[in-house]
Amino acid sequence: MNNSVGNTARLLGAGLRALLVLTLVCGVIYPLVVTGIAQVAFSDKANGSEIKSGGKVVGSELIGQTYNLPKKDPNNADEAAQPDLKWFQPRPSNGLGTNTLNTQYQLIISGATNLSGDNEKLIQQVKDAKDAVVKDNSTADYKVNPADVPADAVTSSGSGLDPQISPAYAKLQVHRIAERNHLDVKQVEKLVSDNTSGRILGFMGEPGVNVLKLNIALKELTQK
């Protein structure tokens, strides 16, 4: 009996020591080492890929933002958000919240509509979005051809949080941006070109334009 109790005590002691060692190694030392390596080698990505403007963090290059006008009645949850057309607009998304100052965002939900391609509600949403893109981006001397509206201008991404738009959608907004901000079209075209990223390693993915970075560049241009 005494031997049995002694063996049990020894096993419990060994188990406790193993638990303490594994907790120290896996729960303290390993996370600290990984965090330290990440901070040294990939500090930008480890800290959320933050984007700064005027010395302040205004968002992440990985998460999209909306650029809407302030609501007339902040307490009216049913009031539809209206885009602030002096800024480049992102692709549609039910996953993005309001952004009255164009420097912050409120994340509500993330996810796609989960509607099939032949769903009448989705088809109507796309038609309405296309009409709005044509209307909003047509100016006195530039009319948007409905056939030129790219898919990302009227559909959301799978996550609903895509921070990028296609170069085609960015270029479609150039005339409206120039008119609203009293800029030359060539200036805005160069702005889009300078903020267009190519394919990863030259062959993976598609070229894209980060809307937040583009709007920061636009803000800096208008302040000159």
Side-chain angles (χ1 to χ4, degrees), residues 75-162:
N75 298 318
N76 184 3
D78 296 326
E79 182 182 339
Q82 299 297 322
D84 189 343
L85 297 178
K86 72 177 182 180
W87 302 105
F88 282 95
Q89 293 296 309
R91 63 188 303 177
S93 176
N94 293 324
L96 300 182
T98 59
N99 183 353
T100 57
L101 299 178
N102 297 310
T103 59
Q104 300 294 329
Y105 62 90
Q106 296 175 348
L107 188 59
I108 299 178
I109 58 174
S110 171
T113 62
N114 212 29
L115 300 176
S116 64
D118 60 353
N119 183 280
E120 292 184 2
K121 181 180 179 180
L122 178 61
I123 292 173
Q124 190 59 51
Q125 285 179 354
V126 171
K127 288 181 178 178
D128 291 343
K130 188 172 185 177
D131 290 342
V133 168
V134 172
K135 177 183 176 182
D136 290 345
N137 291 284
S138 293
T139 65
D141 57 356
Y142 174 77
K143 301 300 178 184
V144 174
N145 184 346
D148 293 335
V149 177
D152 65 304
V154 296
T155 58
S156 64
S157 63
S159 68
L161 304 175
D162 195 343

Side-chain angles (χ1 to χ4, degrees), residues 36-59:
I37 293 174
Q39 286 294 331
V40 172
F42 314 101
S43 61
D44 178 62
K45 292 180 174 59
N47 291 317
S49 300
E50 296 173 338
I51 295 179
K52 293 184 178 181
S53 177
K56 297 180 180 180
V57 175
V58 295

